[in-house]
Amino acid sequence: SPRRRAAAAPAAAEEEASALAAIAARAQSRVRRMLQLIIAITAHNAPEGLAVGVAFGALGRATADGVVPAVTGLGGAVSLALGIGIQNFPEGLAVALPLVREGVPLWTAFSYGQLSGAVEPIAGLLGALFVTRCRPLLPVTMALAAGAMIYVVVDSLIPEMHAHGNGALATQGVMIGFVTMMVLDVTLG
């Protein structure tokens, strides 16, 4: 039966190649989702930095109609910076943990998580310097940042959690995060 073995060899090689292609496609899909998340979080940090920069840059400045907005007080600016700073911790983890899962060393993944937030202080400086021009754009940039994060969560994170049997944990995490941000919004004003 050497003929049977010779005929079966190409079929086995083809099956193995097909299995390897499927594994590569799954890995490529994971990398694509991971990069999408990193880019969205990094892009999301720029408007947050602008918001903090505008809040601090506008201290004591009135708008064109002579009104001094509530957030321009030092307490409002500090509250905004504190609220954004607190929510940056899970964002850094959202960048670092998928990298660790893919085999990136812990400190390298941690560094990438930190780098994803590096745009925030740069945007903050720009916001403070150009407060009169950035203020009208603030609602739009914040809406774009929120939309980017909601898209990533709905498109990638929640389905990924459900696919791995962690649907209840994902839902609980979303609810805890929502309640935490609402408490911070009410208490920090």
Side-chain angles (χ1 to χ4, degrees), residues 35-106:
L35 286 175
Q36 181 184 26
L37 174 68
I38 291 169
I39 290 168
I41 288 175
T42 303
H44 161 86
N45 283 332
E48 289 179 350
L50 279 174
V52 172
V54 167
F56 278 99
L59 286 174
R61 294 188 184 178
T63 60
D65 58 358
V67 176
V68 178
V71 76
T72 59
L74 182 60
V78 170
S79 295
L80 179 64
L82 181 62
I84 288 176
I86 289 170
Q87 61 91 39
N88 280 342
F89 287 105
E91 286 177 0
L93 284 174
V95 169
L97 292 179
L99 293 172
V100 170
R101 184 183 70 205
E102 295 299 320
V104 175
L106 184 63

Side-chain angles (χ1 to χ4, degrees), residues 124-186:
L125 287 173
L126 290 175
L129 291 173
F130 302 108
V131 69
T132 57
R133 290 190 173 90
C134 292
R135 182 172 294 245
L137 297 176
L138 187 59
V140 174
T141 58
M142 293 303 282
L144 289 173
M149 289 310 297
I150 290 170
Y151 174 79
V152 168
V153 168
V154 170
D155 185 58
S156 297
L157 296 181
I158 291 175
E160 182 79 16
M161 293 290 283
H162 282 272
H164 295 288
N166 297 317
L169 180 62
T171 303
Q172 291 166 356
V174 168
M175 296 312 296
I176 290 170
F178 178 79
V179 168
T180 302
M181 290 312 292
M182 289 298 99
V183 168
L184 287 173
D185 184 46
V186 170

